[in-house]
Amino acid sequence: MATRQTRILAHAATAPSTLVLFLWMIVPLAMTIYFSLLRYSLLDPGNESFIGLVNYEYFLSDPAFFAALFNTLKLVGGVLLISVVGGILLALLLDQPCWGRGIVRLMVIAPFFVMPTVSALIWKNLLMHPVQGLFAWIANLLGLQPIDWFAQAPLTAITLIVAWQWLPFATLILLTAIQSLDEEQKEAAEMDGTPPLSFFFYIVLPHLARPITVVILIETIFLLNVFAEILVTTGGGPGNLTTNIPFLVYAQALLQFDVGGASAGGIIAVILANIVAIFLVRMIGRNLEA
Amino acid sequence: MARAHSLRRRTITTAACWLVGLVIFFPILWMAVTSFKTELEAVEIPPKFLFFDWTTENYGVVQERSNYLLFATNSILLSLGSTLVGLLFAIPAAWAMAFAPGKRTKDLLLWMLSTKMMPPVGALIPIYLLFRDLHLLNTRGGMIAVLFLLNLPIIIWMLFTYFKEIPGEILEAARMDGATLWREIVYVLAPMAVPGIASTVLLNVILAWNEAFWTLNLTTTDAAPLTVFIASYSSPEGLFWAKLSAASTLAIAPILVLGWFSQKQLVRGLTFGAVK
């Protein structure tokens, strides 16, 4: 269909983007792989030496690595659980007829647009402070012992903050999906007197299966990279209770100046992310054909 | 009977909706309220919700003490700059993919999206060292380049989906009627492409504004945007909640407004078309 001339034009039009993205992906990755095979400290420049897989051995035998791996999984899992379950419930609620739905929708979506450093510091201080925070005040009103969030349950605190940021995303996508549910199907179910629970489990949930998968995959890709929230609230501590993989790599490189070790950690993070990305790309690709 | 029933139901769901909406929105609301308190009132227990002396002094202090305007200017320059450079690269690319697709177009598009899935820590160290050696740390140019590369896949993807909706027959019809290529672009294509381009700009300005991995790692002052400015409040000195609230409110207000306009684009841009 396309003439030879337009084909050449099309190649010329896509070439610049392809080239810069290729460089952006391949150059740092190749350098990270290369660094990961070196003994390379920023404190001892000029004395790099090739040491093979020693950095990986070091990293994979370091208890801090497994702590960080589990923290990463706990954080991702916790946020996914809250945002997906909460998102389904919220989407169902917001799909109901109600006055001022537009305004409610705006309020629910708002946290997604708050920059990570702001939400982390506002939650840490104004809400979660063990003495002057609002949660402590509410706990006292109810006669409960206030929780010192960042001392007693630091990872839970961070999970809550990140979940607050991602709940709107899940809600918005699932709401869009629910609203595309066939009106006739809804009416037919209502006519037949289908109980709400069966309606939900046999009609709504199957319809949502695909969007839920998409939400899980996309959130996972972003949640594997949570960084700013940890940097400004706990700095990875106390101990390494809130250190996830990105933060561990950052600390290893820019605080301990161990470029080789940090690079090995970076490559491990890339492998983890790729496992998720393969599934996501496949799903997107299938949709692109339809 | 049925009507009374549905009225009651509507009242209940309305109450539930508003309750949930307010709970989720509350941290933002509370931050805004706190920004108008004095530092003493901000930490007072029991907290005052409405009846205190509303003051705007924190907003003045934030500007005077920390040169808020420099950070705000950087945020604006970085987010707009990276988006505009992104458009320059992405418009031709998305155009070609939408109107002259070849056998490889789909693979190319998927590959571009997959670059977005690379974890930044995999690239942090080389980029940091390259920036250090090229004297790009703390420069606006360097940050615009990073943010541009970060968001380019999303810009191309969004433009592609918008361009795809423009029927190709219209172009043929214009050509049949003897329109020159230039007239075809200005009078036929541009009016149909502008809304899609505008939506793309909106979402990408938001994403660049809130980006907080590279900005925190590659800038400290000169080119630092508001994400870094707010992070400086993580080491507190004395009473600072009211000032933190004022600075935060200023930092998120413009993007919150833009964000509310871009809800629909959010679904399109961030799900990569996997949800329709």
Side-chain angles (χ1 to χ4, degrees), chain A residues 7 17 28 32 90 96-97 99 105-106 113 115-117 121 125 132 134 137 164 173 218 225 232 250 287 289, chain B residues 9 13-14 18 20 24 26 43 46 89 106 119 122 126 210 217 227 230 234 241 255 259-260 263 270-271 273:
Chain A
R7 289 247 42 87
S17 298
T32 307
L90 272 174
Q96 305 296 316
W99 288 293
R105 221 178 118 118
L106 290 184
F113 300 114
M115 58 176 66
T117 44
L121 285 176
N125 293 299
Q132 283 134 350
L134 209 71
W137 175 68
W164 178 71
I173 285 170
I218 290 175
N225 299 323
V232 300
Y250 154 82
N287 226 36
E289 267 163 12
Chain B
R9 190 179 148 179
T13 52
T14 301
W18 277 85
V20 170
I24 291 178
F26 183 79
V43 294
F89 278 77
K106 192 187 137 194
N210 288 340
N217 277 310
T227 46
I230 299 295
S234 61
W241 288 12
I255 237 54
W260 279 338
Q263 295 177 54
L270 288 184
T271 61

Side-chain angles (χ1 to χ4, degrees), chain A residues 48-271:
Chain A
E48 294 85 35
S49 57
F50 187 82
I51 52 169
L53 296 175
V54 172
N55 283 318
Y56 289 90
E57 276 171 39
Y58 164 76
F59 219 84
L60 291 172
S61 62
D62 185 4
F65 168 73
F66 287 98
L69 184 63
F70 285 122
N71 287 337
T72 308
L73 296 179
K74 276 188 239 167
L75 180 63
V76 173
V79 174
L80 280 180
L81 190 70
I82 298 174
S83 62
V84 171
V85 174
I88 294 174
L89 295 176
L90 272 174
L92 287 174
L93 180 64
L94 293 181
D95 188 42
Q96 305 296 316
C98 92
W99 288 293
R101 184 153 74 178
I103 299 172
V104 173
R105 221 178 118 118
L106 290 184
M107 292 197 294
V108 170
I109 192 72
F112 190 75
F113 300 114
V114 177
M115 58 176 66
T117 44
V118 165
S119 39
L121 285 176
I122 292 295
W123 274 74
K124 184 189 177 185
N125 293 299
L126 271 55
L127 300 176
M128 288 174 159
H129 191 280
V131 181
Q132 283 134 350
L134 209 71
F135 291 172
W137 175 68
I138 293 172
N140 278 324
L141 279 188
L142 300 172
L144 300 168
Q145 180 69 27
I147 302 170
D148 186 352
W149 288 96
F150 284 93
Q152 292 171 337
L155 192 61
T156 313
I158 290 175
T159 306
L160 283 177
I161 297 172
V162 178
W164 178 71
Q165 292 175 290
W166 283 96
L167 179 63
F169 176 76
T171 307
L172 189 66
I173 285 170
L174 297 177
L175 182 61
T176 311
I178 284 184
Q179 284 173 341
S180 74
L181 191 64
D182 201 359
E183 268 312 312
E184 281 176 24
Q185 236 179 345
K186 283 190 207 172
E187 276 170 29
E190 212 162 303
M191 294 264 213
D192 292 343
T194 315
L197 271 184
S198 338
F199 180 68
F200 174 73
F201 280 108
Y202 293 112
I203 297 180
V204 178
L205 210 52
H207 179 74
L208 287 184
R210 190 187 161 78
I212 289 175
T213 319
V214 171
V215 167
I216 290 177
L217 290 173
I218 290 175
E219 282 197 12
T220 306
I221 289 199
F222 283 93
L223 293 173
L224 283 173
N225 299 323
V226 167
F227 174 77
E229 291 85 344
I230 296 173
L231 180 75
V232 300
T233 54
T234 63
N240 51 21
L241 282 179
T242 56
T243 299
N244 65 353
I245 299 229
F247 198 84
L248 184 68
V249 174
Y250 154 82
Q252 194 80 12
L254 299 185
L255 303 181
Q256 304 199 26
F257 307 109
D258 173 14
V259 170
S263 297
I267 294 304
I268 294 168
V270 170
I271 294 169

Side-chain angles (χ1 to χ4, degrees), chain B residues 11-45:
Chain B
T11 313
I12 295 172
T13 52
T14 301
C17 279
W18 277 85
L19 184 70
V20 170
L22 282 170
V23 166
I24 291 178
F25 191 62
F26 183 79
I28 298 174
L29 201 63
W30 188 235
M31 171 189 80
V33 170
T34 306
S35 74
F36 292 107
K37 292 178 172 179
T38 62
E39 291 295 356
L40 273 180
E41 281 167 332
V43 294
E44 204 175 53
I45 292 286

